[in-house]
Amino acid sequence: MRHDRLSVLTALETQGVVPVFYHADPEVCAEVIRACARGGAKAVEFTNRGDFAWETFTALSKQFAQTDPDIIMGVGSILDAPTAALYLASGARFVISPCLVPEVAQVCNRRQVAYSPGCGSVRDISEAQSLGCEIVKLFPGASVGGPDFVKAVLGPMPWTKIMPTGGVDPDEASIAKWFGSGIVAAGMGSKLITDAAIQARDWAGIEAKVRQTVEAIAAFRAK
């Protein structure tokens, strides 16, 4: 295994931003993911959203194993254990869900792969922790209480590691608000990897945007 559970969790926290991306064209996916890695986000969430998405993921995973072994491929939008197992067999090094699915946690634990379930309540978070989830995904981040919710949870449960998706933007104000509340990382999708950049094949622009975001998070943490 190129990336074990602990090293993946460390990478997610260290880079701070987790790019969330899907495209039907494997070549486009490869360019975007490499751009993210060059920008300092080597752990990328490939979302399981399109037809034959698993085949695209498998092709990318095989390719990166040979050409870019530092890239950490994770999969998102996983709603059941069989689909999780499919991606794990294809090299997924972390699994993310929009909701808490205990069966997915069990499959990931058996393979010692990090699982971050979507949680929208303290009860969800507590159950996820009882299933061995080190980082929980707050989803949809802005809709379930935003930074105020994070602060409220960390009061009685300071060991909790929260990674919101939905509502965190790649700008200094949003980063300060969310990371100031105590999150350890944030998933960012279309505002980080824009449709315009993809259509223009502006891989350098995506790299620059990711680097800017990673550096902004590091700068805030250093204050």
Side-chain angles (χ1 to χ4, degrees):
M1 184 181 294
R2 300 194 309 278
H3 305 284
D4 65 20
R5 184 173 186 156
L6 293 178
S7 66
V8 169
L9 290 166
T10 298
L12 293 173
E13 289 194 51
T14 300
Q15 66 190 47
V17 57
V18 181
V20 179
F21 179 72
Y22 170 78
H23 197 281
D25 187 336
E27 293 184 8
V28 171
C29 289
E31 294 288 359
V32 169
I33 293 170
R34 286 194 177 107
C36 290
R38 292 194 301 268
K42 294 183 178 180
V44 177
E45 176 188 339
F46 176 91
T47 57
N48 177 49
R49 293 187 180 175
D51 291 339
F52 310 110
W54 165 71
E55 294 183 358
T56 300
F57 181 94
T58 302
L60 292 168
S61 184
K62 288 181 178 179
Q63 180 179 343
F64 292 148
Q66 298 297 321
T67 63
D68 302 86
D70 289 341
I71 289 176
I72 302 171
M73 287 285 287
V75 61
S77 301
I78 299 300
L79 293 169
D80 57 79
T83 303
L86 194 64
Y87 277 93
L88 290 173
S90 293
R93 295 276 64 86
F94 61 95
V95 176
I96 296 179
S97 297
C99 55
L100 174 60
V101 187
E103 295 80 10
V104 174
Q106 292 169 355
V107 169
C108 290
N109 283 336
R110 287 193 177 99
R111 295 285 294 274
Q112 291 292 287
V113 171
Y115 173 50
S116 293
C119 298
S121 68
V122 175
R123 182 174 181 175
D124 283 350
I125 292 171
S126 179
E127 184 176 352
Q129 290 171 338
S130 73
L131 291 167
C133 302
E134 292 90 350
I135 298 177
V136 298
K137 171 182 174 177
L138 183 64
F139 183 78
S143 301
V144 299
D148 288 341
F149 177 82
V150 175
K151 291 178 183 178
V153 170
L154 292 178
M157 303 166 67
W159 55 82
T160 304
K161 294 186 175 183
I162 297 176
M163 178 179 66
T165 298
V168 188
D169 298 331
D171 62 67
E172 291 184 1
S174 184
I175 287 168
K177 179 173 65 175
W178 279 96
F179 281 85
S181 73
I183 66 171
V184 300
M188 299 186 194
S190 59
K191 291 187 178 180
L192 181 69
I193 305 168
T194 66
D195 289 340
I198 294 172
Q199 291 173 6
R201 301 298 194 264
D202 184 12
W203 316 132
I206 293 173
E207 176 185 344
K209 187 68 172 179
V210 171
R211 179 178 293 108
Q212 177 185 0
T213 305
V214 170
E215 290 177 351
I217 293 170
F220 179 81
R221 286 171 166 170
K223 290 182 180 178

